[in-house]
Structure formats: structure tokens, C-alpha cells
Amino acid sequence: MDNYKIAIFHGDNPIDINHDYQNGEIEKFGERTEDSYHILEFIEKIQERYADVPLLNSVKNTYPAHIPACFFALLGDPVFYNTTPNDKKYGKMGQFYFPKSINESQKQAILEWASEIGFYQIFLFYDIEIKDGEVTWQTKVNIGKEHNVDFLQKFFNQNVIEIRQDKRKKGL
């Protein structure tokens, strides 16, 4: 993940099936070496792959960077933002945006991902909703003292988000 800004964890929801993503597939994009913003990377991806999804197509470059991640979560796909500004000075940082439920393949992909990112400082945003035109959420933080696999496993075990059986097999 060190080389990318954004990762989407695809599942078995309609947006993934309609756009030919496999269950459990991780889509990484937005090279960290490029001098561009998360919001611009997302807009490019939306125009390229999701122009037919009204919620996503409504994203503008004036929106805060977290809005498209929240929208993907509302549609059922967790998103990870690599927000590391300078890893030598601050360490590695990231943000996960979670839908209200994920399937087993998405959970396994996230835990495999967490093993790759190790001790990143991460924020988890969950229970995401749109209320009166505002995006709201709950937050949990790992300041990098606990390995992210353990931190995320505890998060999943707290039943904060629903883990459901796959509707289609991993890779389909």
C-alpha cells in the first residue's frame, strides 16, 4: 500500500457485480508519487468506472476528500486511504471507511491488507450515515502500538459492523 493512496475492498453487492469486480478483490489506485489529491484520484476513478452510479457521480472536486470514501461505504464497499504525509517524520498513517455490513471475503481481504500495513496508525470510520445533508460517523483509532490485524479483529469481534456470509464465492 505504500505506493498507493486508495484501496477499495469489493464484495458481492450490486455496485461490484454490475461493474465486474470480484468478491474479495482489492482495487488500488492513485500513486503516492503523483502530486494529486485523494479527491481528484477518486473523481478520475468514478468517471472511468462508475459514471452510471448517481451517488458517486455527484462527487465534485470541491468536496472534502472523505466524501467519496463515505459514499462507497454507503454502497457496501470498505475503503482505505493512505494518508501518510512523511513516513520518516510521522510514521505511516491511514483511514478505513466501513459500511454497516461486509461479507466474509471482504473481511478476509481487509485482514490480509492489515497484515501488509502492519503498524500504520489508522482511524476507523463506521456507522456512516447522511443526515440532513451532512455525513456522520463513529470513529476508533489505533495509534500504531498494536498490530492492525489484531486491532481490526477486535473491531470485527465487537459486532460494530455486521459480517455476513458471501452471496457469491470469493473471486466471482
Side-chain angles (χ1 to χ4, degrees):
M1 183 59 195
D2 290 347
N3 298 327
Y4 296 97
K5 293 180 186 175
I6 303 166
I8 301 173
F9 298 83
H10 296 288
D12 55 12
N13 56 61
I15 190 172
D16 296 324
I17 294 167
N18 294 340
H19 293 91
D20 298 323
Y21 287 106
Q22 295 182 11
N23 191 17
E25 180 179 348
I26 303 171
E27 179 182 18
K28 301 179 251 188
F29 58 97
E31 290 188 39
R32 277 192 61 219
T33 57
E34 294 177 11
D35 191 22
S36 67
Y37 299 101
H38 286 82
I39 188 73
L40 298 178
E41 298 291 347
F42 248 123
I43 288 172
E44 184 178 320
K45 180 59 65 179
I46 289 166
Q47 290 170 347
E48 175 187 314
R49 292 293 306 253
Y50 301 100
D52 61 324
V53 180
L55 180 63
L56 297 176
N57 205 26
S58 70
V59 174
K60 306 288 183 244
N61 65 0
T62 55
Y63 285 14
H66 65 273
I67 295 297
C70 290
F71 286 0
F72 266 92
L74 288 169
L75 294 169
D77 286 338
V79 173
F80 180 81
Y81 274 3
N82 184 345
T83 59
T84 304
N86 180 334
D87 46 331
K88 289 183 182 20
K89 185 173 182 180
Y90 302 107
K92 296 179 179 180
M93 302 172 176
Q95 301 170 349
F96 266 110
Y97 295 83
F98 282 100
K100 295 198 183 289
S101 72
I102 61 173
N103 68 34
E104 283 291 336
S105 293
Q106 287 172 306
K107 175 185 172 186
Q108 290 310 312
I110 290 165
L111 291 174
E112 288 170 18
W113 184 264
S115 71
E116 287 180 29
I117 65 172
F119 288 91
Y120 268 59
Q121 297 176 49
I122 61 170
F123 289 80
L124 307 182
F125 298 94
Y126 62 97
D127 199 20
I128 298 169
E129 296 181 340
I130 299 175
K131 293 181 181 177
D132 300 322
E134 298 283 327
V135 178
T136 64
W137 57 72
Q138 301 295 317
T139 308
K140 287 192 181 290
V141 181
N142 180 7
I143 59 171
K145 294 185 179 188
E146 181 175 19
H147 195 284
N148 282 310
V149 171
D150 299 328
F151 180 68
L152 284 162
Q153 191 61 60
K154 287 177 187 174
F155 174 72
F156 293 142
N157 290 343
Q158 292 172 349
N159 297 317
V160 175
I161 62 172
E162 176 190 359
I163 310 295
R164 55 185 164 68
Q165 294 298 313
D166 291 347
K167 294 177 191 169
R168 60 184 179 145
K169 292 182 181 180
K170 184 174 182 169
L172 297 178

